[in-house]
């Protein structure tokens, strides 16, 4: 890391559901300007960790810090407003709304007046609305979907819907982007293009934490990888170190292998 402090610090975080220890004392850091992958077999605790970071679930114990400030215990909208934005495993777009409108929803985090105020065109929101539209268009251009802006989002194939989600997340101007299985359901070519796009997002200065089961994507684009199994961290290091780590290989035996 280049001298600075970690952007995100996960410290001995625990979360159980009934008797299941979904996250069982996990610690790691995400450094600014990096792509950090979080891997592990099904049920390892990856998505739960994202839910804890984004404030969807309260922690049982431990703490999470963002830019040195404790964020565990804050509400999801507060955490989002500090610059942590996530996508979900299943595409969550408004299918009837246009691609552009979906992306504008992301940019509304930046606006002063709320989304409802803009729908009803309350006074003072028109200029802001124009600005939000510009940001959304810029993000659609960035992901290569500007020419589809006016189509209903639900009409796009899955690969493109995922790009709309990414554009929406970027429109919220994140400092830290949490991507939960962005390549799920994509074919090889789409996955490669997604990988290139994620690298370009990092080049814009956005730090990325990425969960994915596609090992070639993870190994190609990540700077660092943390491996979880049954709620615990079993390894952390460069993609090369993780690929040859015996504990990681063991955790994946019987699954897809590395
Ligand atoms: P996958 O790769 O399959 O998405 P994961 O690593 O993301 O898996 P989690 O979804 O975090 O794993 O789940 C970790 C464990 O916690 C699992 O045993 C899961 O069943 C359990 N779990 C997660 N969320 C809940 C919940 N809301 N209520 C009860 N159990 C949960």
């Amino acid at each position: 890391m280049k001298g600075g402090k970690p952007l995100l610090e996960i410290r001995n975080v625990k979360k159980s559901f009934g008797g299941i220890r979904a996250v069982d004392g996990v610690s790691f850091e995400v450094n600014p300007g990096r792509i950090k992958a979080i891997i592990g077999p099904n049920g390892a605790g990856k998505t739960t960790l994202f839910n804890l970071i984004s404030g969807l679930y309260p922690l049982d114990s431990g703490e999470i810090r963002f830019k040195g400030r404790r964020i565990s215990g804050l509400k999801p909208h507060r955490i989002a407003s500090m610059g942590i934005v996530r996508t979900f495993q299943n595409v969550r777009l408004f299918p009837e709304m246009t691609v552009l409108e979906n992306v504008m929803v992301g940019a509304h985090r930046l606006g002063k007046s709320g989304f409802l105020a803009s729908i009803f065109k309350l006074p003072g929101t028109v200029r802001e609305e124009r600005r939000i539209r510009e940001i959304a268009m810029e993000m659609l251009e960035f992901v290569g979907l500007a020419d589809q802006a006016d189509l209903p989002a639900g009409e796009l194939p899955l690969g493109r819907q995922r790009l709309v989600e990414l554009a929406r997340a970027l429109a919220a101007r994140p400092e830290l982007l949490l991507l939960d299985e962005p390549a799920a359901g994509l074919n090889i070519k789409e996955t490669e293009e997604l990988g290139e796009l994620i690298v370009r997002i990092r080049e814009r200065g956005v730090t990325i934490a990425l969960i994915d089961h596609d090992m070639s994507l993870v190994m190609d684009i990540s700077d660092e990888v943390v491996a979880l199994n049954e709620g615990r961290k079993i390894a952390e290091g460069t993609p090369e170190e993780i690929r040859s780590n015996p504990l990681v290989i063991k955790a994946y035996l019987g699954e897809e292998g590395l």
Side-chain angles (χ1 to χ4, degrees), residues 17 20 22 40-49 57 89 181 213:
F17 299 101
I20 299 168
N42 291 326
K46 306 177 299 292
T47 296
T48 302
L49 199 55
Y57 297 155
Q89 252 174 50
E181 295 197 29
H213 284 288

Side-chain angles (χ1 to χ4, degrees), residues 17-160:
F17 299 101
I20 299 168
R21 292 184 185 166
V23 176
D24 192 12
V26 170
S27 301
F28 65 87
E29 295 169 353
V30 181
N31 293 317
R34 297 298 183 101
I35 298 176
K36 183 130 195 173
I38 300 157
I39 65 165
N42 291 326
K46 306 177 299 292
T47 296
T48 302
L49 199 55
F50 270 16
N51 288 336
L52 296 171
I53 297 168
S54 55
L56 231 51
Y57 297 155
L59 279 61
D60 292 343
S61 62
E63 70 169 8
I64 302 177
R65 288 181 174 271
F66 181 59
K67 297 201 280 187
R69 287 179 60 193
R70 190 183 170 121
I71 57 165
S72 32
L74 299 181
K75 296 272 178 245
H77 70 271
R78 276 284 298 133
I79 294 174
S81 72
M82 291 169 79
I84 301 182
V85 176
R86 72 176 290 183
T87 62
F88 289 86
Q89 252 174 50
N90 303 316
V91 172
R92 293 189 178 187
L93 295 175
F94 300 104
E96 314 285 326
M97 282 165 58
T98 68
V99 165
L100 180 65
E101 285 163 349
N102 269 280
V103 178
M104 286 173 69
V105 172
H108 272 279
R109 176 175 90 76
L110 306 170
K112 287 190 208 64
S113 34
F115 187 50
L116 285 178
S118 69
I119 285 176
F120 294 114
K121 305 252 179 294
L122 296 184
T125 61
V126 173
R127 197 181 312 129
E128 187 173 298
E129 192 67 12
R130 198 177 308 136
R131 173 86 192 109
I132 283 169
R133 187 174 288 271
E134 277 169 18
I135 292 170
M137 265 321 283
E138 191 195 318
M139 295 309 151
L140 279 178
E141 272 159 30
F142 180 73
V143 303
L145 284 183
D147 58 344
Q148 326 245 318
D150 296 325
L151 292 180
E155 285 185 11
L156 264 50
L158 176 70
R160 295 206 166 158

Side-chain angles (χ1 to χ4, degrees), residues 206-231:
V206 179
T207 304
I208 293 160
L210 162 83
I211 297 174
D212 214 280
H213 284 288
D214 187 313
M215 284 305 143
S216 59
L217 172 74
V218 165
M219 296 297 163
D220 275 0
I221 69 171
S222 307
D223 300 303
E224 299 150 21
V225 182
V226 54
L228 304 181
N229 191 29
E230 295 177 351

